[in-house]
Amino acid sequence: LIVPNRCMSFWQPTLSNESFFLLLTFGATVVIQLSFFAIANTFKFDKVTDFAGALNFTVNAVLVLILGQKYVRQLVLSIIVIIWALRLGSFLLYRVLKRGKDDRFDEMRNDCCKFFRFWVFQMIWVWVVSLSVVYVNAAAIDVPWGAQDWIGVAVWLLGFVIETVADQTKAWHNPNKSKYPWLATNVWAACRHPNYFGEILCWVGVFISASTVFPANATIAYASVASPVFTAMILLGLSGAPLGEQRYDLRYGSAEMYWWYKERTPPVCPFFPSLYVLLPMRLKCIFCCEFPCYWASGSEGEALSSSTNRQIVAVEREEDQAYQQA
């Protein structure tokens, strides 16, 4: 700890703890992501993209934990972020190694500029989502562990369990042996994207506990609410649920039971299917995040109306079969 302490004493006259930690984690994020981009772009190798993100979360949490105050809250929140990152990173790395490639990068793998934009976005994602754990470790004044911390950890634990079960259920799912080829069992029977719901809960829980120390230290730290908000924006409006809905519509849109499942199952916020189907779309959108873009393919059968879509579905089914065989 000698080197970090000297480093802190060097910066302390000009920077607050919060500013120093923000700059440190931002620098670490840029270095890690650019390093992995150089490897991935040189060898046209996209198997390390998700691993790079998970590793970056781990490094950021370890850095601020080492340099920050060793209070119970800081230790607990740093450790659960590390656990989350290691679990998700290892799962995603295992999955892409079995599949052989990441289909998201088929159109950008050979285009350096497009590929680089992805890595820049990943830099922003990792750094913004890490803000809660960064600010809590930068806090110089401790606040006794209380009910708000227990609530935050409980929310994180619930999200972690949901996300883990959802990922494992998806990994073990065999479309050829299941009642439905799409995921509709276990936690997937409660909502269409339980893995995203679980991840959002994890970061909501971290923020709830971390925010306990913000009033006594730096109220600017409340800006770290961007952590769960940005996570939700990405998963619900950008690269998560919209792409998943489109892919499922293309793949299973010709099956009447698929639309029956989709109409009765909320995208991320679990709800009773028999009641959910009766709600007007506006209420579904407000309370259950049932956004119109999730129904861009229209209704039953429209998703498979063109020969191009059928070709896409055929290719994806072949990849699924190859993945199951592996």
Side-chain angles (χ1 to χ4, degrees):
L1 297 179
I2 295 176
V3 175
N5 287 337
R6 287 179 178 175
C7 185
M8 284 289 287
S9 63
F10 175 78
W11 285 99
Q12 196 63 38
T14 57
L15 290 178
S16 64
N17 278 5
E18 291 80 11
S19 299
F20 173 72
F21 279 28
L22 290 173
L23 287 174
L24 178 67
T25 52
F26 181 75
T29 299
V30 171
V31 170
I32 291 172
Q33 296 304 316
L34 287 182
S35 299
F36 275 97
F37 164 72
I39 296 171
N41 187 63
T42 300
F43 298 101
K44 308 303 177 187
F45 185 70
D46 55 29
K47 295 183 178 67
V48 296
T49 51
D50 291 321
F51 174 75
L55 176 64
N56 206 155
F57 276 110
T58 304
V59 170
N60 285 352
V62 170
L63 280 176
V64 295
L65 177 61
I66 291 175
L67 296 175
Q69 302 293 333
K70 306 302 184 293
Y71 301 131
V72 173
R73 184 178 296 100
Q74 281 84 335
L75 288 169
V76 170
L77 296 186
S78 298
I79 289 172
I80 64 177
V81 167
I82 293 170
I83 291 172
W84 171 84
L86 292 177
R87 201 284 312 173
L88 182 61
S90 60
F91 169 77
L92 295 176
L93 180 62
Y94 173 78
R95 186 179 69 177
V96 75
L97 288 176
K98 291 200 71 172
R99 288 182 174 178
K101 67 171 184 174
D102 193 328
D103 295 336
R104 295 176 300 171
F105 304 104
D106 287 346
E107 296 182 359
M108 66 176 76
R109 193 178 293 111
N110 296 315
D111 188 322
C112 180
C113 292
K114 288 183 178 180
F115 201 32
F116 180 70
R117 284 200 295 268
F118 164 80
W119 289 90
V120 171
F121 179 79
Q122 183 151 279
M123 290 180 200
I124 298 171
W125 167 62
V126 171
W127 188 70
V128 171
V129 176
S130 297
L131 286 178
S132 291
V133 75
V134 170
Y135 272 116
V136 75
N137 278 280
I141 303 173
D142 189 30
V143 175
W145 184 276
Q148 185 172 330
D149 296 290
W150 286 115
I151 293 172
V153 172
V155 171
W156 178 87
L157 183 60
L158 176 63
F160 184 77
V161 170
I162 291 174
E163 185 179 19
T164 301
V165 172
D167 284 342
Q168 291 305 316
T169 303
K170 187 174 183 179
W172 296 333
H173 178 69
N174 188 334
N176 298 321
K177 295 182 179 180
S178 302
K179 181 178 181 180
Y180 304 117
W182 56 89
L183 281 161
T185 58
N186 211 324
V187 290
W188 295 85
C191 60
R192 305 199 299 269
H193 302 282
N195 48 342
Y196 301 150
F197 178 62
E199 183 168 338
I200 293 169
L201 284 182
C202 283
W203 291 108
V204 169
V206 171
F207 174 77
I208 290 174
S209 179
S211 63
T212 307
V213 301
F214 294 167
N217 290 272
T219 54
I220 187 63
Y222 280 109
S224 64
V225 71
S227 172
V229 171
F230 194 54
T231 299
M233 288 174 59
I234 293 174
L235 296 179
L236 303 184
L238 189 59
S239 65
L243 295 181
E245 293 289 331
Q246 182 183 33
R247 184 167 59 250
Y248 264 44
D249 287 355
L250 290 173
R251 190 179 300 181
Y252 306 119
S254 62
E256 181 179 353
M257 284 301 297
Y258 167 72
W259 297 103
W260 183 90
Y261 162 77
K262 186 170 181 175
E263 289 173 352
R264 287 160 176 76
T265 311
V268 287
C269 302
F271 201 74
F272 299 103
S274 58
L275 297 178
Y276 186 75
V277 70
L278 302 176
L279 295 177
M281 184 58 73
R282 180 170 296 181
L283 290 182
K284 291 181 179 180
C285 180
I286 295 173
F287 296 106
C288 299
C289 302
E290 186 72 84
F291 302 129
C293 62
Y294 300 163
W295 293 84
S297 299
S299 57
E300 177 186 341
E302 291 183 19
L304 294 178
S305 60
S306 70
S307 59
T308 301
N309 286 342
R310 290 191 180 94
Q311 291 173 4
I312 293 174
V313 172
V315 171
E316 289 188 338
R317 283 176 176 165
E318 290 177 2
E319 291 176 352
D320 279 347
Q321 292 175 358
Y323 175 60
Q324 292 297 331
Q325 292 174 358

